[in-house]
Amino acid sequence: MEPVIEVRSVYKSFKGVHAVNGVDLEISGGGFTALLGPNGAGKTTLVEMIEGIQKPDRGEILINGMQWKGNEESLRHIIGLSLQETRFIDKLSVREILRLFASFFDLGKKRVSEILELVGLESKSRSWVGNLSGGQRQRLALGIALLNSPKVLLLDEPTTGLDPNARREIWSILLDLKKRAETSLVLTTHYMEEAEKLCDHIMIMDRGEVLREGGLDQLLAEDEREKIIEFTLDAPGLPKDAIAGDAPFPIEWDSSNGKGRVALDNIETQMPVFFDFLRHKNLHMKNMECRKKTLDDLFTEMTGRRLHE
Ligand SMILES: Nc1ncnc2c1ncn2[C@@H]1O[C@H](COP(=O)(O)OP(=O)(O)O)[C@@H](O)[C@H]1O
Ligand SMILES: [Mg+2]
């Protein structure tokens, strides 16, 4: 399938900060793609270059085979976007804001009503935008992005800062959109659940680079057997060396709270070894949990940091 977005060797710096440092990517039509990375990874800079809001220092970006230069008019018609922070005029009603944006695309009242329904804001159509909750504002921003039935939708952190309910409402709107399969979505997020739940393709970004990409299963497949054991010992304050120094497996240890973490690829044979080791050290387990590896674990392995830090 023809790629809808192609990014070739794109660089962008701000006063010595390499915000986007040589990114290549290709996004094909119809799918949902996540740019997953912590704060400062370069996600906003990258999507804003795709949106034509910022210019790359170097490299090339094609949307539907077109560059921004010379094709602004046609590209504006196939792209819908919402920025990381959206400021609206507070003293306009939800319907008035939608009508205003609809007028830019020569769309009428009918489309505004469809959008109000799509993003679940019918009951708020007469409310002032300034009185909306965070979740309602984000749904309005999403509604605006969807007005012109874009072929490509770009959303920058659509659910950051929202409570779990509001986040699920946005997810459900996006999942409905996915079922219709008419729109390609690229969203940025630092929530791995969001990337997992919505997207078929995930690009993990950090420090201006794409570190790894693929489907969720594909990203985690290499370590399919690996399980994460998180445990608490009755030993707060125990220095890291005292436990990790001669451990049979690499152990992450936080002496401030007595919590540790170890990755095992065969729990059946390795757990007994781990328990023997603890007994030998006279350390007592207060608590433990065994779970599957997540994208956050993968990110930590690649960078030494967690997504939320
Ligand atoms: N306009 C700007 N001026 C200076 N530095 C910037 C600017 N925009 C982004 N940066 C820097 O570039 C890096 C990437 O930022 P950004 O693209 O906003 O990341 P993210 O969206 O992943 O949080 C950060 O170090 C940020 O401080
Ligand atoms: Mg950002």
Side-chain angles (χ1 to χ4, degrees):
M1 201 187 264
E2 270 282 278
V4 280
I5 298 175
E6 292 170 81
V7 172
R8 305 254 168 268
S9 305
V10 163
Y11 292 78
K12 177 86 181 175
S13 299
F14 300 101
K15 294 188 190 120
V17 176
H18 300 292
V20 170
N21 198 21
V23 165
D24 284 276
L25 56 87
E26 218 175 89
I27 291 170
S28 53
F32 276 25
T33 300
L35 286 172
L36 175 70
N39 272 331
K43 306 182 295 298
T44 294
T45 309
L46 180 58
V47 286
E48 288 191 351
M49 287 192 287
I50 295 171
E51 291 163 349
I53 296 170
Q54 300 201 51
K55 267 209 187 103
D57 297 338
R58 255 196 296 153
E60 186 182 41
I61 294 177
L62 300 175
I63 296 146
N64 244 10
M66 288 178 274
Q67 291 186 332
W68 272 102
K69 198 163 187 265
N71 296 301
E72 289 87 353
E73 180 81 1
S74 357
L75 286 180
R76 288 276 164 244
H77 275 90
I78 57 170
I79 287 185
L81 56 92
S82 88
L83 303 179
Q84 187 162 348
E85 276 169 48
T86 313
R87 297 204 194 289
F88 297 115
I89 304 162
D90 284 348
K91 299 212 166 147
L92 280 183
S93 73
V94 168
R95 190 184 288 276
E96 285 166 340
I97 286 273
L98 282 167
R99 283 225 186 120
L100 177 65
F101 279 91
S103 71
F104 301 157
F105 296 105
D106 286 328
L107 297 165
K109 289 180 183 176
K110 185 164 162 277
R111 184 59 184 156
V112 168
S113 299
E114 282 169 10
I115 289 289
L116 281 168
E117 190 189 335
L118 190 72
V119 298
L121 285 177
E122 294 130 307
S123 66
K124 290 281 159 190
S125 68
R126 288 159 184 275
S127 304
W128 276 358
V129 171
N131 293 338
L132 297 180
S133 69
Q136 290 163 345
R137 285 177 84 86
Q138 280 300 45
R139 280 189 275 146
L140 176 58
L142 179 56
I144 291 170
L146 288 170
L147 266 170
N148 64 332
S149 314
K151 186 172 162 168
V152 186
L153 179 63
L154 296 133
L155 305 176
D156 197 0
E157 307 235 8
T159 70
T160 292
L162 300 187
D163 63 61
N165 263 332
R167 179 167 303 142
R168 270 192 290 273
E169 281 165 0
I170 301 259
W171 288 355
S172 123
I173 297 166
L174 292 176
L175 287 170
D176 280 348
L177 198 69
K178 190 174 188 178
K179 272 190 220 135
R180 296 187 203 176
E182 289 159 359
T183 309
S184 310
L185 169 72
V186 179
L187 69 79
T188 75
T189 184
H190 58 261
Y191 299 117
M192 71 168 183
E193 299 87 349
E194 185 155 291
E196 289 181 1
K197 177 119 186 154
L198 300 179
C199 297
D200 333 281
H201 197 78
I202 298 169
M203 301 186 172
I204 302 181
M205 267 195 93
D206 190 38
R207 297 177 200 242
E209 291 173 23
V210 175
L211 301 180
R212 221 180 269 187
E213 63 170 294
L216 179 64
D217 293 343
Q218 202 181 345
L219 284 169
L220 298 175
E222 280 168 35
D223 321 289
E224 208 169 306
R225 293 192 318 157
E226 203 161 84
K227 298 285 180 290
I228 305 293
I229 313 288
E230 283 175 324
F231 57 91
T232 310
L233 300 182
D234 197 3
L238 183 76
K240 182 165 168 126
D241 274 359
I243 179 164
D246 53 354
F249 325 103
I251 292 183
E252 278 176 46
W253 178 249
D254 184 344
S255 55
S256 70
N257 57 14
K259 286 185 200 278
R261 197 167 154 279
V262 59
L264 301 179
D265 56 19
N266 186 335
I267 44 173
E268 204 178 353
T269 59
Q270 293 175 320
M271 274 313 283
V273 176
F274 185 50
F275 278 120
D276 280 347
F277 165 75
L278 292 178
R279 197 174 310 125
H280 178 71
K281 293 241 157 201
N282 206 18
L283 293 169
H284 299 280
M285 178 97 75
K286 270 171 61 176
N287 227 318
M288 67 159 263
E289 188 187 332
C290 176
R291 58 169 178 78
K292 285 205 280 197
K293 196 162 166 175
T294 65
L295 288 175
D296 198 19
D297 298 316
L298 183 68
F299 182 78
T300 307
E301 275 166 29
M302 292 186 287
T303 65
R305 286 168 293 126
R306 303 210 74 88
L307 275 167
H308 286 266
E309 270 167 24

